[in-house]
Amino acid sequence: MSFTIVEPAPARLNRSELAVPGSNPKLFKKAAESDADVVFLDLEDAVAPDDKVQARKNIIKALNDVDWGNKTMSVRINGLDTHYMYRDVIDIIEQGGERLDLIMIPKAGTAADIYAVDMLVTQAEEAVGRKKRIGFEMIIETALGMANVDAIATASPRNESLHFGVADYAASTKARTTVIGGPNELYGVLSDPDDAGERLYHWGDMWHYAIARMVVAARAAGLRPIDGPFGDFSDPAGFRAQANRAAVLGCEGKWAIHPSQIDLANEVNSPSKAEIDKAKRIIKAMRQATKEGKGAVSLDGRLIDIASIKQAEVMVKKARLIAK
Ligand code: GLV
Ligand code: MG
């Protein structure tokens, strides 16, 4: 182990994160009753400029009046390059009560962006005597943000999670796609001819690097990596495939931009019963091995060691959070 100890962010379930436009309060009750682990009320890109002020008022009212149960509540503020952002922070903290858990910072570009929001949030929290500290979720969705992803991840003790915002990231990097998330058939590999002269074309995942890079930065800082939107809500199979790819790389959740995507995200990001049972057996076998003074043993014909026990403990801890 390194002598540098990485403190993990507060443990929260973040399998699904439902995006709800602040300009559409009719959706709030349904969001509160949904199975989403996290709900973010949006003031940024889902809200037209003319609706920004009203959306802020709607969100303040909803934070005070709606019963959000045990959900983690977040508000996506406007970007630091807009004049809406300071008032988003001030009004939400001064008037939104204690219910808010997180602020989502869109288009995070540099560590200084996070520092600036931290300064404002700290002053506002102190001024109102807030008891619960607000955490930060940062969307990595620009070339600048990706270039500075490590510094962003460690910029504030409030940081809890990094999110991959595929739509803005595609725009910022001028990637050749017009859809939100998912693969592009041009990003493929053509095999050499086989004996019969046949060549196979495999689609690749054009988002592999970006997600893997964000996962490393997040995990190295003890944060949760979360995959962002998948725009085609009438394609559950496409959503599931994208969510699985992100989960395999280490993401622990995915956005839902439509209620139909919540169950899919929860399912993909929950360990299965077989995985939990296996994890429990690994922990048991390793406990026995430790008693016998061994560092590694075999289980079901495979080697397990101290690293396996850590993976198993993560799995069992998550299962406990879900069962609560
Ligand atoms: C999310 O904000 C995105 O741009 O994908
Ligand atoms: Mg975006």
Side-chain angles (χ1 to χ4, degrees):
M1 258 318 209
S2 166
F3 189 57
T4 299
I5 305 297
V6 176
E7 285 300 329
R12 296 182 195 275
L13 273 187
N14 205 163
R15 297 167 303 167
S16 53
E17 181 144 348
L18 180 65
V20 183
S23 48
N24 199 346
K26 273 193 264 145
L27 301 177
F28 293 172
K29 188 162 178 287
K30 206 169 163 210
E33 287 164 0
S34 76
D35 286 327
D37 290 336
V38 183
V39 169
F40 84 78
L41 302 173
D42 193 14
L43 284 168
E44 201 223 11
D45 282 355
V47 178
D50 284 352
D51 297 337
K52 297 273 189 202
V53 173
Q54 186 56 46
R56 201 187 281 136
K57 289 185 185 151
N58 298 341
I59 289 178
I60 289 168
K61 187 165 178 342
L63 286 172
N64 284 297
D65 295 354
V66 175
D67 178 3
W68 296 101
N70 61 359
K71 291 205 178 327
T72 292
M73 292 305 298
S74 181
V75 170
R76 179 163 76 167
I77 57 174
N78 283 286
L80 276 77
D81 57 333
T82 73
H83 66 81
Y84 302 111
M85 175 258 157
Y86 81 99
R87 191 146 289 290
D88 291 344
V89 171
I90 300 302
D91 285 3
I92 298 276
I93 296 179
E94 285 189 352
Q95 300 165 39
E98 284 278 333
R99 186 58 187 81
L100 186 69
D101 301 292
L102 305 170
I103 282 179
M104 177 181 267
I105 305 173
K107 301 180 182 75
T110 66
D113 287 344
I114 315 309
Y115 186 86
V117 181
D118 193 353
M119 187 265 305
L120 204 54
V121 168
T122 302
Q123 290 192 17
E125 274 184 350
E126 266 181 48
V128 296
R130 206 170 200 277
K131 291 181 204 74
K132 195 171 71 181
R133 181 171 83 169
I134 291 171
F136 287 167
E137 338 186 71
M138 278 76 53
I139 316 182
I140 303 301
E141 52 182 343
T142 59
L144 183 64
M146 193 58 86
N148 292 314
V149 66
D150 297 317
I152 289 170
T154 53
S156 165
R158 295 179 187 272
N159 288 0
E160 290 204 13
S161 54
L162 295 183
H163 299 241
F164 178 55
V166 67
D168 275 303
Y169 187 77
S172 171
T173 54
K174 303 200 192 313
R176 294 181 63 183
T177 179
T178 49
V179 296
I180 300 182
N184 181 329
E185 69 173 318
L186 294 176
Y187 195 82
V189 177
L190 185 63
S191 73
D192 285 346
D194 63 14
D195 290 346
E198 207 177 321
R199 305 185 75 179
L200 296 173
Y201 185 75
H202 300 279
W203 289 30
D205 179 8
M206 65 185 287
W207 308 116
H208 175 89
Y209 167 78
I211 296 178
R213 181 69 189 85
M214 180 195 74
V215 167
V216 170
R219 294 298 186 197
L223 313 186
R224 300 182 291 276
I226 307 293
D227 190 25
F230 183 81
D232 186 354
F233 56 79
S234 53
D235 180 11
F239 179 95
R240 189 189 294 276
Q242 171 61 53
N244 271 324
R245 284 196 297 277
V248 165
L249 290 176
C251 283
E252 60 186 74
K254 180 154 177 64
W255 288 16
I257 51 125
H258 187 269
S260 65
Q261 295 179 334
I262 298 172
D263 284 351
L264 293 169
N266 283 348
E267 190 194 313
V268 167
N269 291 295
S270 300
S272 68
K273 187 171 173 327
E275 284 171 321
I276 298 165
D277 289 348
K278 173 102 188 275
K280 287 183 177 161
R281 287 174 58 228
I282 289 175
I283 293 171
K284 207 165 148 201
M286 277 309 294
R287 281 210 188 111
Q288 186 57 31
T290 313
K291 263 192 213 154
E292 292 165 13
K294 295 183 200 153
V297 281
S298 72
L299 183 74
D300 303 338
R302 284 171 197 235
L303 180 85
I304 54 167
D305 62 10
I306 307 286
S308 325
I309 199 169
K310 283 189 197 135
Q311 290 168 350
E313 277 167 356
V314 168
M315 187 82 78
V316 170
K317 219 185 258 174
K318 186 159 198 178
R320 265 194 225 118
L321 269 177
I322 294 168
K324 264 191 194 164

